[in-house]
Coordinates of all heavy atoms in Angstrom, one line a residue:
M429 N -31.6 -24.3 23.3 CA -30.2 -24.0 23.5 C -30.1 -22.6 24.0 O -30.6 -21.7 23.4 CB -29.5 -24.3 22.3 CG -28.0 -24.0 22.4 SD -27.0 -24.3 20.9 CE -27.6 -25.9 20.3
S430 N -29.3 -22.4 25.1 CA -29.1 -21.0 25.6 C -28.1 -20.2 24.7 O -27.3 -20.9 23.9 CB -28.4 -21.1 27.0 OG -27.1 -21.4 27.0
V431 N -28.1 -19.0 24.8 CA -27.2 -18.2 24.0 C -25.7 -18.5 24.3 O -24.8 -18.5 23.5 CB -27.5 -16.7 24.2 CG1 -27.1 -16.2 25.6 CG2 -26.7 -15.8 23.2
F432 N -25.4 -18.8 25.6 CA -24.1 -19.3 26.0 C -23.7 -20.5 25.3 O -22.5 -20.8 24.9 CB -23.9 -19.2 27.5 CG -24.1 -17.8 28.1 CD1 -25.3 -17.6 28.8 CD2 -23.2 -16.8 27.8 CE1 -25.4 -16.3 29.4 CE2 -23.3 -15.6 28.4 CZ -24.5 -15.3 29.1
E433 N -24.5 -21.5 25.3 CA -24.3 -22.8 24.6 C -24.0 -22.5 23.1 O -23.1 -23.1 22.5 CB -25.5 -23.7 24.8 CG -25.6 -24.3 26.3 CD -26.8 -25.0 26.5 OE1 -27.8 -24.8 25.8 OE2 -26.8 -25.8 27.5
T434 N -24.8 -21.6 22.5 CA -24.6 -21.2 21.1 C -23.2 -20.6 20.9 O -22.5 -20.9 19.9 CB -25.7 -20.2 20.7 OG1 -27.0 -20.9 20.8 CG2 -25.5 -19.9 19.2
I435 N -22.8 -19.7 21.8 CA -21.5 -19.1 21.8 C -20.4 -20.2 21.8 O -19.5 -20.2 20.9 CB -21.3 -18.1 22.9 CG1 -22.2 -16.8 22.6 CG2 -19.8 -17.7 23.1 CD1 -22.3 -15.8 23.7
I436 N -20.5 -21.2 22.7 CA -19.5 -22.1 22.8 C -19.4 -23.0 21.5 O -18.3 -23.3 21.0 CB -19.7 -23.0 24.1 CG1 -19.5 -22.2 25.3 CG2 -18.8 -24.3 24.0 CD1 -19.9 -22.8 26.6
I437 N -20.5 -23.5 21.1 CA -20.6 -24.2 19.9 C -20.0 -23.5 18.6 O -19.2 -24.0 17.9 CB -22.0 -24.7 19.5 CG1 -22.4 -25.9 20.5 CG2 -22.1 -25.2 18.1 CD1 -23.8 -26.2 20.4
R438 N -20.3 -22.2 18.6 CA -19.6 -21.4 17.4 C -18.1 -21.2 17.6 O -17.4 -21.4 16.6 CB -20.2 -20.0 17.5 CG -21.4 -19.8 16.8 CD -21.3 -19.0 15.4 NE -22.7 -18.8 15.0 CZ -23.2 -17.8 15.0 NH1 -22.6 -16.6 15.2 NH2 -24.6 -17.7 14.7
I439 N -17.7 -21.0 18.9 CA -16.3 -20.9 19.1 C -15.5 -22.3 18.8 O -14.5 -22.3 18.0 CB -16.0 -20.5 20.6 CG1 -16.3 -19.0 20.8 CG2 -14.5 -20.7 20.9 CD1 -16.3 -18.6 22.3
V440 N -16.0 -23.4 19.3 CA -15.4 -24.6 19.1 C -15.5 -25.0 17.5 O -14.4 -25.5 17.0 CB -16.1 -25.8 19.9 CG1 -15.5 -27.2 19.5 CG2 -15.9 -25.5 21.3
G441 N -16.6 -24.7 16.9 CA -16.7 -24.9 15.5 C -15.7 -24.2 14.7 O -15.1 -24.7 13.7
E442 N -15.5 -22.9 15.0 CA -14.5 -22.1 14.3 C -13.2 -22.5 14.6 O -12.3 -22.6 13.6 CB -14.8 -20.6 14.7 CG -14.0 -19.6 13.8 CD -14.7 -19.7 12.4 OE1 -15.9 -19.9 12.2 OE2 -14.1 -19.3 11.4
Q443 N -12.8 -22.9 15.8 CA -11.5 -23.5 16.1 C -11.3 -24.8 15.4 O -10.2 -25.1 14.9 CB -11.3 -23.7 17.6 CG -11.3 -22.3 18.4 CD -10.1 -21.6 18.2 OE1 -9.0 -22.1 17.8 NE2 -10.1 -20.2 18.4
E444 N -12.3 -25.6 15.2 CA -12.2 -26.8 14.6 C -11.8 -26.7 13.1 O -11.1 -27.5 12.5 CB -13.6 -27.6 14.6 CG -13.5 -29.0 14.0 CD -14.8 -29.7 14.2 OE1 -15.8 -29.1 14.1 OE2 -14.7 -31.0 14.1
L445 N -12.2 -25.6 12.5 CA -11.9 -25.3 11.1 C -10.4 -25.1 10.9 O -9.8 -25.4 9.9 CB -12.6 -24.1 10.5 CG -14.1 -24.2 10.4 CD1 -14.7 -22.8 10.0 CD2 -14.4 -25.3 9.4
I446 N -9.7 -24.6 12.1 CA -8.3 -24.3 12.0 C -7.4 -25.4 12.6 O -6.5 -25.9 11.9 CB -8.1 -23.1 12.9 CG1 -8.8 -21.8 12.3 CG2 -6.5 -22.7 13.0 CD1 -8.9 -20.6 13.3
I447 N -7.9 -26.1 13.7 CA -7.1 -27.1 14.4 C -7.6 -28.5 14.3 O -7.0 -29.4 14.8 CB -6.7 -26.7 15.8 CG1 -8.0 -26.7 16.6 CG2 -5.9 -25.4 15.9 CD1 -7.7 -26.5 18.1
G448 N -8.8 -28.6 13.6 CA -9.4 -29.9 13.5 C -10.1 -30.4 14.8 O -10.4 -29.6 15.6
P449 N -10.3 -31.8 14.9 CA -11.0 -32.3 16.0 C -10.4 -32.0 17.4 O -11.1 -32.2 18.3 CB -10.9 -33.8 15.7 CG -10.5 -34.0 14.3 CD -9.8 -32.7 13.9
L450 N -9.1 -31.6 17.4 CA -8.5 -31.2 18.6 C -9.4 -30.2 19.3 O -9.3 -30.1 20.6 CB -7.0 -30.8 18.4 CG -6.2 -30.4 19.5 CD1 -6.1 -31.5 20.6 CD2 -4.9 -29.9 19.2
A451 N -10.0 -29.3 18.6 CA -10.9 -28.2 19.2 C -11.9 -28.9 20.2 O -12.1 -28.3 21.2 CB -11.5 -27.5 18.0
W452 N -12.5 -29.9 19.7 CA -13.6 -30.6 20.7 C -12.9 -31.2 21.8 O -13.3 -31.2 22.9 CB -14.3 -31.6 19.8 CG -15.3 -30.9 18.9 CD1 -15.1 -30.6 17.6 CD2 -16.6 -30.4 19.2 NE1 -16.2 -30.0 17.0 CE2 -17.2 -29.8 18.1 CE3 -17.4 -30.3 20.4 CZ2 -18.4 -29.2 18.1 CZ3 -18.6 -29.8 20.3 CH2 -19.1 -29.2 19.2
T453 N -11.8 -31.9 21.6 CA -11.0 -32.5 22.7 C -10.7 -31.6 23.8 O -10.8 -31.8 24.9 CB -9.8 -33.2 22.1 OG1 -10.1 -34.1 21.0 CG2 -8.9 -34.0 23.2
E454 N -10.1 -30.4 23.4 CA -9.7 -29.4 24.3 C -10.9 -28.7 25.0 O -10.9 -28.5 26.2 CB -8.9 -28.3 23.6 CG -7.5 -28.7 23.2 CD -6.6 -29.3 24.2 OE1 -6.7 -28.9 25.3 OE2 -6.1 -30.4 24.0
A455 N -12.0 -28.6 24.3 CA -13.3 -28.1 24.9 C -13.8 -29.0 26.0 O -14.2 -28.7 27.0 CB -14.3 -27.8 23.9
G456 N -13.5 -30.4 25.8 CA -14.0 -31.3 26.7 C -13.1 -31.3 28.0 O -13.6 -31.8 29.1
K457 N -12.0 -30.7 28.0 CA -11.2 -30.6 29.2 C -11.5 -29.4 30.1 O -10.9 -29.3 31.1 CB -9.7 -30.5 28.7 CG -9.2 -31.7 28.1 CD -7.7 -31.5 27.5 CE -7.2 -32.7 26.8 NZ -5.8 -32.4 26.3
I458 N -12.4 -28.6 29.7 CA -12.8 -27.4 30.4 C -13.8 -27.7 31.5 O -14.8 -28.2 31.2 CB -13.3 -26.3 29.4 CG1 -12.4 -26.0 28.3 CG2 -13.8 -25.1 30.2 CD1 -11.1 -25.4 28.7
S459 N -13.4 -27.2 32.7 CA -14.2 -27.4 33.9 C -15.5 -26.7 33.6 O -15.6 -25.6 33.3 CB -13.5 -26.9 35.1 OG -14.3 -26.8 36.2
G460 N -16.6 -27.4 33.9 CA -17.9 -26.8 33.7 C -18.6 -27.0 32.3 O -19.7 -26.6 32.1
L461 N -17.8 -27.6 31.4 CA -18.4 -27.9 30.0 C -18.5 -29.4 29.8 O -17.5 -30.1 30.2 CB -17.4 -27.3 28.9 CG -17.4 -25.9 28.8 CD1 -16.6 -25.6 27.5 CD2 -18.8 -25.3 28.6
R462 N -19.5 -29.8 29.2 CA -19.7 -31.2 28.7 C -20.0 -31.0 27.3 O -20.9 -30.4 26.8 CB -20.8 -32.0 29.5 CG -20.5 -32.1 30.9 CD -21.6 -33.0 31.5 NE -21.6 -34.3 30.7 CZ -21.6 -35.5 31.3 NH1 -21.6 -35.6 32.5 NH2 -21.7 -36.6 30.6
V463 N -19.1 -31.7 26.5 CA -19.3 -31.6 25.0 C -19.6 -33.0 24.4 O -19.0 -34.0 24.9 CB -18.1 -31.0 24.3 CG1 -17.9 -29.6 24.8 CG2 -16.9 -31.8 24.5
Q464 N -20.4 -33.1 23.4 CA -20.6 -34.2 22.6 C -20.4 -33.9 21.2 O -21.2 -33.4 20.5 CB -22.0 -34.8 22.8 CG -22.3 -35.3 24.2 CD -23.7 -35.8 24.4 OE1 -24.7 -35.1 24.0 NE2 -23.8 -37.0 24.9
K465 N -19.1 -34.2 20.7 CA -18.8 -33.7 19.4 C -19.6 -34.4 18.3 O -20.0 -33.7 17.3 CB -17.3 -34.1 19.1 CG -16.8 -33.8 17.8 CD -15.5 -34.4 17.5 CE -15.1 -34.0 16.1 NZ -14.9 -35.0 15.1
E466 N -20.0 -35.6 18.5 CA -20.7 -36.4 17.5 C -22.0 -35.6 17.1 O -22.4 -35.7 15.9 CB -21.0 -37.8 17.9 CG -19.9 -38.6 18.4 CD -19.2 -38.2 19.7 OE1 -20.0 -37.8 20.6 OE2 -18.1 -38.5 19.9
I467 N -22.6 -35.0 18.0 CA -23.9 -34.3 17.7 C -23.8 -32.8 17.9 O -24.9 -32.2 17.8 CB -25.0 -34.9 18.5 CG1 -24.8 -34.9 20.0 CG2 -25.3 -36.3 18.1 CD1 -25.9 -35.4 20.8
G468 N -22.6 -32.3 18.1 CA -22.4 -30.9 18.3 C -23.2 -30.2 19.5 O -23.8 -29.2 19.4
V469 N -23.2 -31.0 20.6 CA -24.0 -30.5 21.8 C -23.0 -30.1 22.9 O -22.1 -30.8 23.2 CB -25.0 -31.6 22.2 CG1 -25.7 -31.1 23.6 CG2 -26.1 -31.8 21.2
V470 N -23.4 -29.1 23.6 CA -22.6 -28.6 24.7 C -23.6 -28.4 25.9 O -24.6 -27.8 25.6 CB -21.9 -27.3 24.4 CG1 -21.3 -26.7 25.6 CG2 -20.8 -27.4 23.3
S471 N -23.2 -28.8 27.0 CA -24.0 -28.4 28.2 C -23.0 -27.6 29.3 O -21.8 -28.1 29.3 CB -24.7 -29.5 28.9 OG -23.8 -30.4 29.4
I472 N -23.5 -26.7 30.0 CA -22.7 -25.9 30.8 C -23.2 -26.1 32.3 O -24.3 -26.0 32.6 CB -22.8 -24.4 30.6 CG1 -22.5 -24.2 29.1 CG2 -21.9 -23.6 31.4 CD1 -22.9 -22.8 28.6
Q473 N -22.2 -26.4 33.2 CA -22.5 -26.5 34.6 C -21.8 -25.2 35.2 O -20.7 -25.0 35.0 CB -22.0 -27.8 35.3 CG -22.7 -29.0 34.8 CD -22.0 -29.7 33.7 OE1 -20.8 -29.7 33.6 NE2 -22.7 -30.4 32.9
G474 N -22.6 -24.5 36.0 CA -22.0 -23.3 36.7 C -22.2 -22.2 35.9 O -23.0 -22.0 35.0
D475 N -21.3 -21.1 36.2 CA -21.4 -19.9 35.4 C -21.0 -20.0 34.0 O -19.8 -20.3 33.7 CB -20.5 -18.8 36.1 CG -20.6 -17.4 35.6 OD1 -20.9 -17.3 34.4 OD2 -20.3 -16.5 36.3
P476 N -21.9 -19.7 33.0 CA -21.5 -19.9 31.7 C -20.5 -18.9 31.2 O -19.7 -19.3 30.3 CB -22.9 -19.6 30.9 CG -23.7 -18.9 31.9 CD -23.3 -19.3 33.2
K477 N -20.5 -17.7 31.7 CA -19.4 -16.7 31.3 C -18.1 -17.2 31.6 O -17.1 -17.1 30.9 CB -19.7 -15.4 31.8 CG -21.0 -14.7 31.2 CD -21.2 -13.3 31.5 CE -21.0 -12.9 32.9 NZ -21.2 -11.5 33.2
Q478 N -18.0 -17.8 32.9 CA -16.6 -18.3 33.3 C -16.2 -19.5 32.4 O -15.0 -19.6 32.2 CB -16.7 -18.7 34.8 CG -16.8 -17.5 35.7 CD -16.9 -18.0 37.1 OE1 -16.9 -19.1 37.5 NE2 -16.8 -17.0 38.0
A479 N -17.2 -20.4 32.1 CA -16.8 -21.5 31.2 C -16.3 -21.0 29.9 O -15.3 -21.6 29.3 CB -18.1 -22.4 31.0
I480 N -17.0 -20.0 29.3 CA -16.5 -19.5 28.1 C -15.1 -18.8 28.2 O -14.2 -19.1 27.3 CB -17.4 -18.5 27.5 CG1 -18.8 -19.1 27.1 CG2 -16.9 -17.6 26.4 CD1 -20.0 -18.2 26.8
D481 N -14.9 -18.1 29.3 CA -13.6 -17.5 29.6 C -12.5 -18.7 29.7 O -11.4 -18.4 29.1 CB -13.6 -16.7 30.8 CG -14.3 -15.4 30.7 OD1 -14.6 -14.9 29.5 OD2 -14.7 -14.8 31.7
R482 N -12.8 -19.7 30.3 CA -11.9 -20.8 30.5 C -11.5 -21.5 29.1 O -10.4 -21.8 28.8 CB -12.4 -21.8 31.4 CG -12.2 -21.4 32.8 CD -12.5 -22.5 33.8 NE -13.8 -23.0 33.8 CZ -14.9 -22.7 34.5 NH1 -14.7 -21.7 35.4 NH2 -16.0 -23.3 34.4
L483 N -12.6 -21.6 28.3 CA -12.4 -22.2 26.9 C -11.5 -21.3 26.0 O -10.6 -21.7 25.4 CB -13.8 -22.3 26.3 CG -13.8 -22.9 24.8 CD1 -13.3 -24.3 24.8 CD2 -15.2 -22.8 24.2
V484 N -11.9 -20.0 26.0 CA -11.1 -19.0 25.2 C -9.6 -19.1 25.8 O -8.6 -19.1 24.9 CB -11.7 -17.7 25.2 CG1 -10.8 -16.6 24.6 CG2 -13.0 -17.7 24.5
A485 N -9.4 -19.0 27.1 CA -8.1 -19.1 27.6 C -7.3 -20.3 27.3 O -6.1 -20.3 27.0 CB -8.1 -18.9 29.2
R486 N -8.0 -21.5 27.2 CA -7.3 -22.7 26.8 C -6.9 -22.7 25.4 O -5.7 -23.0 25.1 CB -8.3 -23.9 26.9 CG -7.8 -25.2 26.6 CD -6.9 -25.6 27.6 NE -6.3 -27.0 27.2 CZ -5.4 -27.6 27.7 NH1 -4.7 -27.1 28.8 NH2 -4.9 -28.8 27.3
Y487 N -7.6 -22.2 24.5 CA -7.2 -22.1 23.1 C -6.1 -21.1 23.0 O -5.2 -21.4 22.2 CB -8.4 -21.7 22.2 CG -9.5 -22.7 22.0 CD1 -10.8 -22.4 22.0 CD2 -9.1 -24.1 21.7 CE1 -11.8 -23.4 21.7 CE2 -10.1 -25.0 21.5 CZ -11.4 -24.8 21.5 OH -12.4 -25.7 21.3
E488 N -6.2 -20.0 23.7 CA -5.1 -19.0 23.6 C -3.8 -19.6 24.1 O -2.8 -19.3 23.5 CB -5.6 -17.8 24.4 CG -4.5 -16.6 24.2 CD -4.9 -15.3 24.9 OE1 -5.9 -15.3 25.7 OE2 -4.3 -14.3 24.5
K489 N -3.9 -20.3 25.2 CA -2.7 -20.9 25.8 C -2.0 -21.9 24.8 O -0.8 -21.8 24.7 CB -3.0 -21.6 27.1 CG -1.8 -22.3 27.7 CD -2.2 -23.1 29.0 CE -1.0 -23.7 29.6 NZ -1.3 -24.6 30.7
L490 N -2.9 -22.7 24.1 CA -2.3 -23.6 23.2 C -1.8 -23.1 21.9 O -0.8 -23.5 21.3 CB -3.3 -24.7 22.9 CG -3.6 -25.6 24.2 CD1 -4.9 -26.4 23.8 CD2 -2.5 -26.4 24.5
F491 N -2.6 -22.1 21.4 CA -2.4 -21.6 19.9 C -2.1 -20.1 19.8 O -2.0 -19.7 18.7 CB -3.6 -22.0 19.2 CG -3.8 -23.5 19.2 CD1 -5.0 -23.9 20.0 CD2 -3.0 -24.5 18.7 CE1 -5.2 -25.3 20.1 CE2 -3.3 -25.8 18.9 CZ -4.4 -26.2 19.5
G492 N -2.0 -19.3 20.9 CA -1.7 -18.1 20.8 C -2.8 -17.0 20.7 O -3.9 -17.4 20.7
Q493 N -2.5 -15.7 20.7 CA -3.4 -14.6 20.8 C -4.4 -14.7 19.6 O -5.5 -14.3 19.7 CB -2.6 -13.3 20.7 CG -3.5 -12.1 20.5 CD -4.4 -11.9 21.8 OE1 -4.0 -12.2 22.9 NE2 -5.5 -11.2 21.6
I494 N -4.0 -15.2 18.4 CA -4.7 -15.3 17.3 C -6.0 -16.2 17.6 O -7.0 -15.9 17.0 CB -4.0 -15.8 16.0 CG1 -4.9 -15.6 14.8 CG2 -3.7 -17.3 16.2 CD1 -5.0 -14.2 14.3
S495 N -5.8 -17.2 18.4 CA -7.0 -18.0 18.8 C -8.1 -17.1 19.5 O -9.3 -17.4 19.3 CB -6.6 -19.1 19.8 OG -5.9 -20.0 19.0
R496 N -7.7 -16.2 20.3 CA -8.7 -15.3 21.0 C -9.4 -14.5 20.0 O -10.6 -14.4 20.1 CB -8.0 -14.5 22.0 CG -8.9 -13.5 22.8 CD -8.2 -12.6 23.7 NE -7.7 -13.3 24.8 CZ -8.4 -13.4 26.0 NH1 -9.5 -12.9 26.2 NH2 -7.8 -14.2 27.0
E497 N -8.7 -13.9 19.0 CA -9.3 -13.1 18.0 C -10.3 -14.0 17.1 O -11.4 -13.5 16.8 CB -8.3 -12.5 17.1 CG -7.3 -11.5 17.9 CD -8.1 -10.5 18.7 OE1 -9.1 -9.9 18.1 OE2 -7.8 -10.3 19.8
V498 N -9.9 -15.3 16.9 CA -10.9 -16.2 16.1 C -12.2 -16.4 16.9 O -13.2 -16.3 16.3 CB -10.1 -17.5 15.8 CG1 -11.1 -18.5 15.3 CG2 -9.0 -17.3 14.8
C499 N -12.0 -16.5 18.2 CA -13.2 -16.7 19.1 C -14.0 -15.5 19.0 O -15.3 -15.7 18.8 CB -12.7 -17.0 20.5 SG -11.9 -18.6 20.8
K500 N -13.4 -14.3 19.1 CA -14.3 -13.1 19.1 C -15.0 -13.0 17.8 O -16.2 -12.6 17.8 CB -13.4 -11.9 19.3 CG -12.8 -11.8 20.7 CD -12.0 -10.5 20.9 CE -11.3 -10.3 22.2 NZ -10.6 -9.1 22.2
Q501 N -14.3 -13.2 16.7 CA -14.9 -13.1 15.4 C -16.0 -14.1 15.2 O -17.1 -13.8 14.5 CB -13.9 -13.2 14.3 CG -12.9 -12.0 14.2 CD -11.8 -12.2 13.1 OE1 -11.7 -13.2 12.5 NE2 -11.0 -11.2 13.0
A502 N -15.9 -15.2 15.7 CA -16.8 -16.4 15.5 C -18.2 -16.0 16.1 O -19.2 -16.4 15.7 CB -16.3 -17.6 16.1
V503 N -18.2 -15.2 17.2 CA -19.4 -14.9 17.9 C -19.8 -13.4 17.9 O -20.7 -13.0 18.6 CB -19.3 -15.4 19.4 CG1 -19.1 -16.9 19.4 CG2 -18.2 -14.7 20.1
A504 N -19.2 -12.6 17.1 CA -19.4 -11.2 17.0 C -20.9 -10.9 16.8 O -21.5 -10.0 17.5 CB -18.6 -10.5 15.9
S505 N -21.5 -11.6 15.8 CA -23.0 -11.3 15.6 C -23.9 -11.7 16.8 O -24.9 -11.0 17.0 CB -23.5 -12.1 14.4 OG -23.3 -13.5 14.6
I506 N -23.5 -12.7 17.6 CA -24.3 -12.9 18.8 C -24.0 -12.0 19.9 O -25.0 -11.5 20.6 CB -23.8 -14.4 19.3 CG1 -24.2 -15.4 18.2 CG2 -24.6 -14.7 20.7 CD1 -23.5 -16.8 18.6
L507 N -22.8 -11.6 20.1 CA -22.5 -10.6 21.2 C -23.1 -9.2 20.9 O -23.5 -8.5 21.9 CB -21.0 -10.4 21.2 CG -20.1 -11.6 21.5 CD1 -18.6 -11.3 21.6 CD2 -20.5 -12.2 22.8
A508 N -23.5 -8.9 19.6 CA -24.1 -7.6 19.4 C -25.5 -7.6 20.0 O -26.0 -6.5 20.3 CB -24.2 -7.4 17.9
D509 N -26.1 -8.7 20.3 CA -27.4 -8.7 20.8 C -27.5 -8.8 22.3 O -28.5 -8.9 23.0 CB -28.2 -9.9 20.3 CG -28.5 -9.8 18.7 OD1 -28.6 -8.6 18.3 OD2 -28.6 -10.8 18.1
L510 N -26.3 -9.0 22.9 CA -26.2 -9.1 24.4 C -25.9 -7.8 25.1 O -25.4 -6.8 24.5 CB -25.1 -10.1 24.8 CG -25.2 -11.5 24.4 CD1 -23.9 -12.3 24.8 CD2 -26.5 -12.2 24.9
K511 N -26.3 -7.6 26.3 CA -26.1 -6.5 27.1 C -24.5 -6.6 27.5 O -24.0 -7.6 27.7 CB -26.9 -6.4 28.3 CG -28.4 -6.4 28.1 CD -29.1 -6.5 29.5 CE -30.7 -6.5 29.1 NZ -31.4 -6.9 30.4
P512 N -23.9 -5.4 27.7 CA -22.5 -5.5 28.0 C -22.1 -6.3 29.2 O -21.1 -7.0 29.3 CB -22.2 -4.0 28.3 CG -23.1 -3.2 27.5 CD -24.4 -4.1 27.5
D513 N -22.9 -6.4 30.2 CA -22.6 -7.2 31.4 C -22.9 -8.6 31.2 O -22.5 -9.5 32.0 CB -23.5 -6.7 32.7 CG -24.9 -6.9 32.5 OD1 -25.5 -6.8 31.3 OD2 -25.5 -7.1 33.5
E514 N -23.5 -9.1 30.1 CA -23.7 -10.4 29.8 C -22.6 -11.0 28.9 O -22.5 -12.3 28.8 CB -25.0 -10.6 28.9 CG -26.3 -10.3 29.7 CD -27.4 -10.3 28.8 OE1 -27.4 -9.8 27.6 OE2 -28.5 -10.9 29.3
I515 N -21.7 -10.2 28.4 CA -20.6 -10.6 27.6 C -19.4 -11.2 28.4 O -19.0 -10.4 29.3 CB -20.2 -9.5 26.6 CG1 -21.3 -9.1 25.7 CG2 -18.9 -9.9 25.8 CD1 -21.0 -7.8 24.9
P516 N -19.0 -12.4 28.2 CA -17.8 -12.9 28.9 C -16.6 -11.9 28.7 O -16.4 -11.5 27.6 CB -17.6 -14.2 28.3 CG -18.9 -14.6 27.7 CD -19.5 -13.4 27.3
A517 N -15.8 -11.8 29.7 CA -14.6 -10.9 29.7 C -13.7 -11.2 28.6 O -13.2 -10.3 27.9 CB -13.9 -10.9 31.1
S518 N -13.5 -12.5 28.3 CA -12.6 -12.9 27.2 C -13.0 -12.5 25.8 O -12.2 -12.5 24.9 CB -12.3 -14.5 27.3 OG -13.6 -15.1 27.1
L519 N -14.2 -12.2 25.6 CA -14.8 -11.8 24.3 C -15.0 -10.3 24.2 O -15.6 -9.9 23.1 CB -16.1 -12.6 24.1 CG -16.0 -14.1 24.0 CD1 -17.3 -14.7 23.9 CD2 -14.9 -14.6 23.0
K520 N -14.6 -9.6 25.1 CA -14.8 -8.0 25.0 C -13.6 -7.4 24.2 O -12.6 -8.0 24.1 CB -14.9 -7.4 26.4 CG -16.1 -7.9 27.1 CD -16.2 -7.2 28.4 CE -17.6 -7.6 29.2 NZ -17.7 -7.0 30.5

């Protein structure tokens, strides 16, 4: 599993704690993402940073700025190991 897939699974998992299964449903609507909630698997087509940015933006559009902060907190430990240019803009 790539670091970006791990980031997405963490984000969706954290959002699921707040909004329930709707988190997976919304993730499945993101262009470039394929999700399988039943087994917690995500695959990314295209630029993974853009897919993450679209996912974070979707949650923020639906649930407000706090959703973006939840996303950032969910992956803070992963981001610490990435180079600055590897971090998606929505998580900076």
Side-chain angles (χ1 to χ4, degrees):
M429 179 181 310
S430 78
V431 68
F432 295 109
E433 290 168 337
T434 301
I435 287 171
I436 291 170
I437 288 172
R438 274 252 188 115
I439 287 172
V440 176
E442 197 65 26
Q443 292 291 337
E444 184 179 28
L445 293 174
I446 299 167
I447 62 173
L450 181 60
W452 287 95
T453 302
E454 292 303 320
K457 295 177 182 178
I458 302 302
S459 172
L461 288 185
R462 293 187 58 129
V463 299
Q464 293 179 308
K465 176 189 184 244
E466 302 78 26
I467 55 176
V469 172
V470 171
S471 62
I472 305 167
Q473 292 95 31
D475 184 335
K477 293 192 309 185
Q478 289 180 357
I480 291 169
D481 287 342
R482 287 191 295 268
L483 178 64
V484 172
R486 178 73 180 170
Y487 288 139
E488 184 176 17
K489 179 180 176 188
L490 293 171
F491 306 108
Q493 176 66 28
I494 192 71
S495 289
R496 178 180 292 263
E497 297 307 315
V498 168
C499 293
K500 287 180 182 180
Q501 289 177 356
V503 297
S505 63
I506 298 171
L507 299 180
D509 295 332
L510 295 179
K511 296 175 188 170
D513 63 327
E514 295 176 319
I515 299 173
S518 60
L519 299 176
K520 291 183 180 179

